Amino acid sequence: MGSIQKKRPTAVTVIGWIFIAGAILMIFSGGMGFMAFSFMQHMGGEAAPPIPEDAPFQFGVMEVIFQHFGLIALVQIALAAFILIASIQFLRLRRWARTALEVIAWLGLVYFVGFGIFFVASWIAMTSNIPFSEGASGPSPMFGIFGAVMGFVVTLFWAVPLVVIIIFLRGKIIRGAVS
C-alpha cells in the first residue's frame, strides 16, 4: 500500500500561506519599483540634486537608497522568490523550509524594528525644527508627537505578527510536523 501521509497542522498552513502572500507582494512591489525607477532614469537622464551638507542625516541615508534603488529592488525580488520556494516547501513539511522561514521572520523583525526606530528618530529630528503655532496657519505642536506615535504603532503592527510567527515556528507542533 501507500506511504503514511503526515497531517499538516493548521499553523503550518496559515504561516505558509502568509509567507506565500507576502512573497508575491514583494515580487510585485519590487518589480513595479524597479520599472518605475528605470523609467525615471531613462526620462531624467540626470542624477538627483546633491544633498546640502547641513541637511539632516536621514536625507543622506535616503540619497544612498535612491542611488542604489535598482539593485535593492532586484535583491528584493530574489529574496521574495526564495521565500516563495521556501513557503511552498514548508507547506510540504520540509525541515529546511521551517528554518528558512524562521530566519526570514527574524530578519523581517529586525528590519521592521530598525526601520521603526529610524522613522521615529527621523520624525522627531525633522519636526523638532518646525516652528509650531497656535493659529490655523501652521502645524499644531501635536504634529510631531502624532507622527512619532504613529511610527511606533505601525512598527508594532508589523513586528507583533512576526513575533507570533517565530513563536509558532519554534514551537513543538511545527517542529514535530517537519521532523
Side-chain angles (χ1 to χ4, degrees):
M1 304 239 156
S3 65
I4 297 174
Q5 189 78 13
K6 282 186 183 179
K7 182 172 177 356
R8 182 171 64 202
T10 303
V12 170
T13 303
V14 171
I15 291 170
W17 280 103
I18 287 171
F19 274 99
I20 287 171
I24 290 169
L25 288 173
M26 285 176 65
I27 290 168
F28 181 72
S29 67
M32 294 302 288
F34 183 79
M35 289 186 339
F37 180 74
S38 297
F39 181 73
M40 286 173 30
Q41 280 190 321
H42 284 58
M43 291 297 292
E46 298 178 20
I51 302 291
E53 287 187 27
D54 61 340
F57 165 76
Q58 295 81 4
F59 285 101
V61 172
M62 296 308 292
E63 180 183 35
V64 170
I65 290 171
F66 186 75
Q67 287 173 350
H68 300 91
F69 190 82
L71 177 61
I72 292 169
L74 291 175
V75 168
Q76 176 181 326
I77 293 167
L79 176 63
F82 172 75
I83 293 170
L84 184 61
I85 292 166
S87 300
I88 291 167
Q89 295 305 310
F90 181 65
L91 290 173
R92 294 179 178 160
L93 302 176
R94 303 294 193 268
R95 181 182 297 163
W96 72 266
R98 187 210 64 81
T99 304
L101 293 185
E102 184 183 341
V103 169
I104 294 298
W106 277 107
L107 290 174
L109 182 61
V110 168
Y111 170 79
F112 284 119
V113 170
F115 182 80
I117 292 168
F118 175 77
F119 176 84
V120 170
S122 299
W123 185 268
I124 291 170
M126 288 187 215
T127 59
S128 65
N129 295 327
I130 296 175
F132 293 112
S133 65
E134 295 297 325
S137 63
S140 159
M142 291 300 294
F143 181 70
I145 295 168
F146 180 74
V149 169
M150 285 306 299
F152 178 74
V153 169
V154 168
T155 300
L156 281 179
F157 177 82
W158 290 105
V160 169
L162 285 171
V163 169
V164 171
I165 286 171
I166 290 167
I167 290 168
F168 272 92
L169 286 172
R170 296 178 63 84
K172 290 180 182 178
I173 293 172
I174 292 180
R175 283 186 181 267
V178 299
S179 62

